[in-house]
Amino acid sequence: MNSTTVVYRDSLSTAIVKNLITVVLSVSIVYVNSTLVHTFKKHEVFNTNPRYILYIHLVINDILLLSLFTLIQIVSYIMFTLHVPFCIILLLTVIICNLNNPLTLAVMAVECYVAICFPLQHPQICTVKNVTVVILVIWLLSSLVILPDLFTILVTESKDFFNSRVFCLRGSIFRHPELEKKKDASNIVLLVIVWLTLLYTYFRILFTAQAATANAKKARNTVLLHGFQLLLCMLTYVYDLMLNGLTNLFPKEILTIRYTVSVFVQILPRLISPIVYGIRDKTFRKYLKRYLDNATWGNFTPQEILGL
């Protein structure tokens, strides 16, 4: 606890450039995702459809992650260290949102599977009420994964620690060695369950009797995209591995490596979510294009202004 810590800081110009890049990327993605949320809320065809509800939950999750990542980076560059309680709140929210993503992808794959393999039962199984309950369960499970870590530091850390300031990283807060092992174990279990779900649903859709239909082909492609999204989500779990490996190779570039890996892991994966339904889905694309045209030319009709 009394060991000396070497602190590296960027020059002012470098810090400004890095934060500018992060803000521009994050604001652009958040803006696109916000238009998707606006389109979803405005049209009943979406907010009464369980598939779109799950999708928009994923989009909102991405908005939260990007906003918090950008906030932590900017505040860390300005003040460098944060009060421990404030950092804990930010980290808990980010960790829960990160855990939400793969679970939501798994549920979306199951919804595609039910729609193709059990079309007659789909309206009874995939209702708005059931999907709302599933989303609540996702948040509950994600919270239960990280809450033991919180209870551990509350018990093991001193009062002085909670009154101190730290560079806001997970390792700076959850410092107990056993918590690292617990994190790795929970990540492995979570990812195995999600991957098995994606593989099972994909191959069941692939070999279903309706596999030749256009809807089945689209469902297979959607599940494949979910798998690609999951691969991007997994970058979060190998963050420390990438960071440590590159730092060992280029020890003098630790700041550049930490920034580049953070952007690659936290920002770039958020680009895929708008593509899955915002661009690929014909219905969503039609209403989104209408919204963007109206926003560009300002020709909202009275019905659209009232949200009718």
Side-chain angles (χ1 to χ4, degrees):
M1 301 294 288
N2 296 321
S3 61
T4 303
T5 301
V6 179
V7 176
Y8 300 92
R9 301 200 68 171
D10 283 316
S11 64
L12 178 61
S13 58
T14 302
I16 291 174
V17 170
K18 286 183 177 179
N19 280 282
L20 186 61
I21 293 172
T22 299
V23 169
V24 169
L25 287 174
S26 298
V27 169
S28 301
I29 297 172
V30 168
Y31 172 75
V32 172
N33 283 348
S34 297
T35 60
L36 296 174
V37 175
H38 176 81
T39 303
F40 168 83
K41 290 176 61 178
K42 195 172 181 180
H43 302 286
E44 189 175 353
V45 65
F46 300 125
N47 51 54
T48 57
N49 188 316
R51 180 173 300 175
Y52 293 116
I53 293 174
L54 287 169
Y55 168 66
I56 218 65
H57 173 249
L58 194 67
V59 169
I60 292 173
N61 221 52
D62 285 346
I63 291 175
L64 283 173
L65 278 171
L66 276 178
S67 302
L68 289 173
F69 169 75
T70 305
L71 175 64
I72 291 174
Q73 178 176 302
I74 293 175
V75 172
S76 296
Y77 268 103
I78 295 174
M79 298 188 293
F80 196 66
T81 58
L82 302 178
H83 288 292
V84 168
F86 181 52
C87 179
I88 290 174
I89 293 172
L90 292 177
L91 286 178
L92 286 178
T93 308
V94 168
I95 292 169
I96 290 173
C97 288
N98 262 324
L99 293 171
N100 284 347
N101 267 3
L103 292 174
T104 304
L105 290 172
V107 174
M108 293 175 75
V110 171
E111 189 277 332
C112 286
Y113 161 68
V114 174
I116 298 302
C117 298
F118 304 98
L120 297 180
Q121 289 79 22
H122 181 265
Q124 288 76 38
I125 297 174
C126 299
T127 64
V128 172
K129 181 180 179 180
N130 289 344
V131 166
T132 303
V133 171
V134 168
I135 290 174
L136 292 175
V137 170
I138 288 174
W139 278 88
L140 177 62
L141 289 176
S142 299
S143 301
L144 290 176
V145 170
I146 191 60
L147 281 180
D149 299 53
L150 177 61
F151 294 147
T152 300
I153 64 170
L154 290 175
V155 171
T156 59
E157 298 290 356
S158 65
K159 184 178 179 181
D160 290 339
F161 173 72
F162 292 99
N163 291 328
S164 64
R165 299 171 66 96
V166 296
F167 190 72
C168 196
L169 295 172
R170 180 168 183 163
S172 302
I173 299 295
F174 304 105
R175 305 184 296 180
H176 196 285
E178 294 301 318
L179 292 181
E180 184 68 23
K181 297 178 182 177
K182 179 257 177 189
K183 181 189 76 170
D184 293 339
S186 59
N187 286 344
I188 290 172
V189 171
L190 173 69
L191 290 175
V192 166
I193 292 173
V194 173
W195 271 115
L196 288 177
T197 302
L198 286 175
L199 290 173
Y200 176 79
T201 54
Y202 175 76
F203 284 108
R204 284 302 301 269
I205 293 172
L206 181 65
F207 295 115
T208 188
Q210 303 177 45
T213 66
N215 286 337
K217 291 179 180 178
K218 183 177 179 181
R220 293 202 308 270
N221 292 336
T222 300
V223 173
L224 283 176
L225 272 175
H226 292 335
F228 180 59
Q229 283 180 281
L230 182 59
L231 284 174
L232 295 178
C233 289
M234 288 175 62
L235 293 176
T236 302
Y237 305 126
V238 296
Y239 172 83
D240 291 336
L241 183 63
M242 288 192 294
L243 189 62
N244 294 334
L246 291 172
T247 301
N248 289 333
L249 290 174
F250 309 100
K252 296 182 179 180
E253 303 296 331
I254 182 171
L255 292 177
T256 302
I257 291 170
R258 183 181 295 278
Y259 172 79
T260 304
V261 172
S262 296
V263 170
F264 189 74
V265 169
Q266 296 294 346
I267 295 181
L268 296 185
R270 312 278 88 83
L271 287 169
I272 191 66
S273 291
I275 296 175
V276 178
Y277 285 110
I279 296 177
R280 287 182 68 247
D281 187 86
K282 292 181 180 179
T283 305
F284 214 113
R285 187 168 67 244
K286 179 182 72 174
Y287 284 99
L288 181 61
K289 183 177 183 299
R290 181 185 302 175
Y291 165 75
L292 292 175
D293 289 341
N294 287 335
T296 302
W297 299 105
N299 57 341
F300 289 100
T301 65
Q303 290 81 5
E304 290 172 326
I305 292 174
L306 293 174
L308 301 177

